[in-house]
PDB file of all heavy atoms in Angstrom:
ATOM      1  N   LEU L 119       7.242  -4.414 -12.837  1.00 97.00           N
ATOM      2  CA  LEU L 119       6.525  -4.521 -11.557  1.00 97.00           C
ATOM      3  C   LEU L 119       6.538  -5.922 -10.992  1.00 97.00           C
ATOM      4  O   LEU L 119       5.534  -6.567 -10.780  1.00 97.00           O
ATOM      5  CB  LEU L 119       5.079  -4.001 -11.717  1.00 97.00           C
ATOM      6  CG  LEU L 119       4.958  -2.599 -12.250  1.00 97.00           C
ATOM      7  CD1 LEU L 119       3.454  -2.269 -12.557  1.00 97.00           C
ATOM      8  CD2 LEU L 119       5.520  -1.585 -11.311  1.00 97.00           C
ATOM      9  N   ALA L 124       2.767  -5.603  -6.648  1.00 98.00           N
ATOM     10  CA  ALA L 124       2.736  -5.142  -8.048  1.00 98.00           C
ATOM     11  C   ALA L 124       1.546  -4.231  -8.340  1.00 98.00           C
ATOM     12  O   ALA L 124       1.649  -3.296  -9.143  1.00 98.00           O
ATOM     13  CB  ALA L 124       2.697  -6.359  -8.965  1.00 98.00           C
ATOM     14  N   VAL L 125       0.423  -4.409  -7.692  1.00 98.00           N
ATOM     15  CA  VAL L 125      -0.756  -3.587  -7.943  1.00 98.00           C
ATOM     16  C   VAL L 125      -0.544  -2.213  -7.325  1.00 98.00           C
ATOM     17  O   VAL L 125      -0.768  -1.194  -7.984  1.00 98.00           O
ATOM     18  CB  VAL L 125      -2.042  -4.275  -7.433  1.00 98.00           C
ATOM     19  CG1 VAL L 125      -3.256  -3.397  -7.777  1.00 98.00           C
ATOM     20  CG2 VAL L 125      -2.187  -5.666  -8.042  1.00 98.00           C
ATOM     21  N   ASP L 127       2.285  -0.896  -6.646  1.00 98.00           N
ATOM     22  CA  ASP L 127       3.376  -0.244  -7.365  1.00 98.00           C
ATOM     23  C   ASP L 127       2.886   0.353  -8.704  1.00 98.00           C
ATOM     24  O   ASP L 127       3.359   1.387  -9.149  1.00 98.00           O
ATOM     25  CB  ASP L 127       4.498  -1.266  -7.649  1.00 98.00           C
ATOM     26  CG  ASP L 127       5.210  -1.671  -6.366  1.00 98.00           C
ATOM     27  OD1 ASP L 127       5.038  -1.024  -5.317  1.00 98.00           O
ATOM     28  OD2 ASP L 127       5.933  -2.719  -6.394  1.00 98.00           O
ATOM     29  N   ALA L 128       1.952  -0.343  -9.344  1.00 98.00           N
ATOM     30  CA  ALA L 128       1.406   0.172 -10.609  1.00 98.00           C
ATOM     31  C   ALA L 128       0.781   1.563 -10.375  1.00 98.00           C
ATOM     32  O   ALA L 128       0.965   2.473 -11.135  1.00 98.00           O
ATOM     33  CB  ALA L 128       0.371  -0.797 -11.174  1.00 98.00           C
ATOM     34  N   LEU L 129      -0.009   1.661  -9.301  1.00 98.00           N
ATOM     35  CA  LEU L 129      -0.713   2.928  -9.019  1.00 98.00           C
ATOM     36  C   LEU L 129       0.312   4.012  -8.613  1.00 98.00           C
ATOM     37  O   LEU L 129       0.227   5.139  -9.070  1.00 98.00           O
ATOM     38  CB  LEU L 129      -1.711   2.737  -7.882  1.00 98.00           C
ATOM     39  CG  LEU L 129      -2.950   1.925  -8.286  1.00 98.00           C
ATOM     40  CD1 LEU L 129      -3.810   1.619  -7.057  1.00 98.00           C
ATOM     41  CD2 LEU L 129      -3.755   2.648  -9.331  1.00 98.00           C
ATOM     42  N   GLU L 130       1.300   3.604  -7.754  1.00 98.00           N
ATOM     43  CA  GLU L 130       2.281   4.586  -7.334  1.00 98.00           C
ATOM     44  C   GLU L 130       3.132   5.093  -8.485  1.00 98.00           C
ATOM     45  O   GLU L 130       3.534   6.268  -8.527  1.00 98.00           O
ATOM     46  CB  GLU L 130       3.170   4.016  -6.205  1.00 98.00           C
ATOM     47  CG  GLU L 130       2.422   4.006  -4.876  1.00 98.00           C
ATOM     48  CD  GLU L 130       3.220   3.372  -3.766  1.00 98.00           C
ATOM     49  OE1 GLU L 130       4.388   2.994  -3.979  1.00 98.00           O
ATOM     50  OE2 GLU L 130       2.673   3.288  -2.672  1.00 98.00           O
ATOM     51  N   HIS L 131       3.407   4.203  -9.448  1.00 98.00           N
ATOM     52  CA  HIS L 131       4.226   4.618 -10.602  1.00 98.00           C
ATOM     53  C   HIS L 131       3.450   5.409 -11.588  1.00 98.00           C
ATOM     54  O   HIS L 131       3.973   6.103 -12.452  1.00 98.00           O
ATOM     55  CB  HIS L 131       4.829   3.371 -11.272  1.00 98.00           C
ATOM     56  CG  HIS L 131       5.980   3.695 -12.160  1.00 98.00           C
ATOM     57  ND1 HIS L 131       7.285   3.717 -11.690  1.00 98.00           N
ATOM     58  CD2 HIS L 131       6.044   4.024 -13.452  1.00 98.00           C
ATOM     59  CE1 HIS L 131       8.073   4.078 -12.679  1.00 98.00           C
ATOM     60  NE2 HIS L 131       7.327   4.270 -13.776  1.00 98.00           N
ATOM     61  N   GLY L 132       2.106   5.292 -11.525  1.00 98.00           N
ATOM     62  CA  GLY L 132       1.253   6.015 -12.469  1.00 98.00           C
ATOM     63  C   GLY L 132       1.135   5.359 -13.820  1.00 98.00           C
ATOM     64  O   GLY L 132       0.876   6.036 -14.819  1.00 98.00           O
ATOM     65  N   VAL L 133       1.352   4.043 -13.897  1.00 98.00           N
ATOM     66  CA  VAL L 133       1.235   3.396 -15.208  1.00 98.00           C
ATOM     67  C   VAL L 133      -0.249   3.475 -15.640  1.00 98.00           C
ATOM     68  O   VAL L 133      -1.153   3.532 -14.830  1.00 98.00           O
ATOM     69  CB  VAL L 133       1.698   1.908 -15.189  1.00 98.00           C
ATOM     70  CG1 VAL L 133       3.153   1.824 -14.727  1.00 98.00           C
ATOM     71  CG2 VAL L 133       0.797   1.025 -14.338  1.00 98.00           C
ATOM     72  N   LYS L 134      -0.459   3.510 -16.919  1.00 98.00           N
ATOM     73  CA  LYS L 134      -1.829   3.566 -17.474  1.00 98.00           C
ATOM     74  C   LYS L 134      -2.380   2.224 -17.856  1.00 98.00           C
ATOM     75  O   LYS L 134      -3.582   2.054 -18.007  1.00 98.00           O
ATOM     76  CB  LYS L 134      -1.826   4.507 -18.707  1.00 98.00           C
ATOM     77  CG  LYS L 134      -1.279   5.885 -18.436  1.00 98.00           C
ATOM     78  CD  LYS L 134      -2.067   6.621 -17.311  1.00 98.00           C
ATOM     79  CE  LYS L 134      -1.558   8.039 -17.126  1.00 98.00           C
ATOM     80  NZ  LYS L 134      -1.941   8.554 -15.742  1.00 98.00           N
ATOM     81  N   VAL L 135      -1.464   1.283 -18.082  1.00 98.00           N
ATOM     82  CA  VAL L 135      -1.870  -0.103 -18.392  1.00 98.00           C
ATOM     83  C   VAL L 135      -1.053  -1.035 -17.536  1.00 98.00           C
ATOM     84  O   VAL L 135       0.190  -0.912 -17.444  1.00 98.00           O
ATOM     85  CB  VAL L 135      -1.598  -0.403 -19.887  1.00 98.00           C
ATOM     86  CG1 VAL L 135      -1.994  -1.831 -20.217  1.00 98.00           C
ATOM     87  CG2 VAL L 135      -2.340   0.538 -20.799  1.00 98.00           C
ATOM     88  N   THR L 136      -1.710  -1.992 -16.892  1.00 98.00           N
ATOM     89  CA  THR L 136      -0.993  -3.076 -16.215  1.00 98.00           C
ATOM     90  C   THR L 136      -1.672  -4.382 -16.666  1.00 98.00           C
ATOM     91  O   THR L 136      -2.121  -4.431 -17.811  1.00 98.00           O
ATOM     92  CB  THR L 136      -0.968  -2.878 -14.679  1.00 98.00           C
ATOM     93  OG1 THR L 136      -0.230  -3.905 -14.105  1.00 98.00           O
ATOM     94  CG2 THR L 136      -2.359  -2.768 -14.084  1.00 98.00           C
ATOM     95  N   GLY L 137      -1.713  -5.398 -15.836  1.00 98.00           N
ATOM     96  CA  GLY L 137      -2.327  -6.623 -16.307  1.00 98.00           C
ATOM     97  C   GLY L 137      -1.892  -7.816 -15.499  1.00 98.00           C
ATOM     98  O   GLY L 137      -1.639  -7.690 -14.293  1.00 98.00           O
ATOM     99  N   VAL L 158      -4.687  -4.795 -18.600  1.00 98.00           N
ATOM    100  CA  VAL L 158      -5.833  -4.207 -17.895  1.00 98.00           C
ATOM    101  C   VAL L 158      -5.562  -2.703 -17.812  1.00 98.00           C
ATOM    102  O   VAL L 158      -4.511  -2.302 -17.330  1.00 98.00           O
ATOM    103  CB  VAL L 158      -5.993  -4.834 -16.465  1.00 98.00           C
ATOM    104  CG1 VAL L 158      -7.096  -4.079 -15.709  1.00 98.00           C
ATOM    105  CG2 VAL L 158      -6.337  -6.293 -16.551  1.00 98.00           C
ATOM    106  N   ASP L 159      -6.523  -1.881 -18.261  1.00 98.00           N
ATOM    107  CA  ASP L 159      -6.342  -0.432 -18.152  1.00 98.00           C
ATOM    108  C   ASP L 159      -6.450   0.039 -16.697  1.00 98.00           C
ATOM    109  O   ASP L 159      -7.294  -0.462 -15.959  1.00 98.00           O
ATOM    110  CB  ASP L 159      -7.460   0.297 -18.941  1.00 98.00           C
ATOM    111  CG  ASP L 159      -7.175   0.217 -20.439  1.00 98.00           C
ATOM    112  OD1 ASP L 159      -6.037  -0.001 -20.844  1.00 98.00           O
ATOM    113  OD2 ASP L 159      -8.170   0.371 -21.193  1.00 98.00           O
ATOM    114  N   VAL L 160      -5.608   0.990 -16.332  1.00 98.00           N
ATOM    115  CA  VAL L 160      -5.724   1.621 -15.038  1.00 98.00           C
ATOM    116  C   VAL L 160      -6.676   2.821 -15.171  1.00 98.00           C
ATOM    117  O   VAL L 160      -6.509   3.610 -16.116  1.00 98.00           O
ATOM    118  CB  VAL L 160      -4.342   2.095 -14.515  1.00 98.00           C
ATOM    119  CG1 VAL L 160      -4.482   2.773 -13.152  1.00 98.00           C
ATOM    120  CG2 VAL L 160      -3.389   0.915 -14.428  1.00 98.00           C
ATOM    121  N   ARG L 161      -7.668   2.930 -14.278  1.00 98.00           N
ATOM    122  CA  ARG L 161      -8.592   4.042 -14.341  1.00 98.00           C
ATOM    123  C   ARG L 161      -8.127   5.167 -13.376  1.00 98.00           C
ATOM    124  O   ARG L 161      -7.521   4.848 -12.350  1.00 98.00           O
ATOM    125  CB  ARG L 161     -10.000   3.586 -13.950  1.00 98.00           C
ATOM    126  CG  ARG L 161     -10.556   2.568 -14.925  1.00 98.00           C
ATOM    127  CD  ARG L 161     -11.909   2.076 -14.461  1.00 98.00           C
ATOM    128  NE  ARG L 161     -12.402   0.999 -15.381  1.00 98.00           N
ATOM    129  CZ  ARG L 161     -13.314   0.103 -15.061  1.00 98.00           C
ATOM    130  NH1 ARG L 161     -13.853   0.096 -13.861  1.00 98.00           N
ATOM    131  NH2 ARG L 161     -13.700  -0.813 -15.925  1.00 98.00           N
ATOM    132  N   ASP L 164      -8.941   4.540  -9.714  1.00 98.00           N
ATOM    133  CA  ASP L 164      -8.693   3.215  -9.184  1.00 98.00           C
ATOM    134  C   ASP L 164      -8.043   3.293  -7.772  1.00 98.00           C
ATOM    135  O   ASP L 164      -7.190   4.140  -7.515  1.00 98.00           O
ATOM    136  CB  ASP L 164      -7.732   2.444 -10.090  1.00 98.00           C
ATOM    137  CG  ASP L 164      -8.443   1.423 -10.968  1.00 98.00           C
ATOM    138  OD1 ASP L 164      -9.502   0.912 -10.532  1.00 98.00           O
ATOM    139  OD2 ASP L 164      -7.969   1.154 -12.093  1.00 98.00           O
ATOM    140  N   LEU L 169      -8.430  -1.981  -8.699  1.00 98.00           N
ATOM    141  CA  LEU L 169      -7.590  -2.413  -9.784  1.00 98.00           C
ATOM    142  C   LEU L 169      -7.259  -3.900  -9.663  1.00 98.00           C
ATOM    143  O   LEU L 169      -7.324  -4.654 -10.636  1.00 98.00           O
ATOM    144  CB  LEU L 169      -6.306  -1.578  -9.808  1.00 98.00           C
ATOM    145  CG  LEU L 169      -5.258  -1.929 -10.860  1.00 98.00           C
ATOM    146  CD1 LEU L 169      -5.855  -1.861 -12.280  1.00 98.00           C
ATOM    147  CD2 LEU L 169      -4.061  -0.972 -10.773  1.00 98.00           C
TER     148      LEU L 169
END
Side-chain angles (χ1 to χ4, degrees):
L119 305 172
V125 182
D127 293 346
L129 289 173
E130 283 178 2
H131 197 88
V133 303
K134 304 302 183 200
V135 178
T136 182
V158 173
D159 285 339
V160 179
R161 296 176 184 159
D164 259 330
L169 179 56

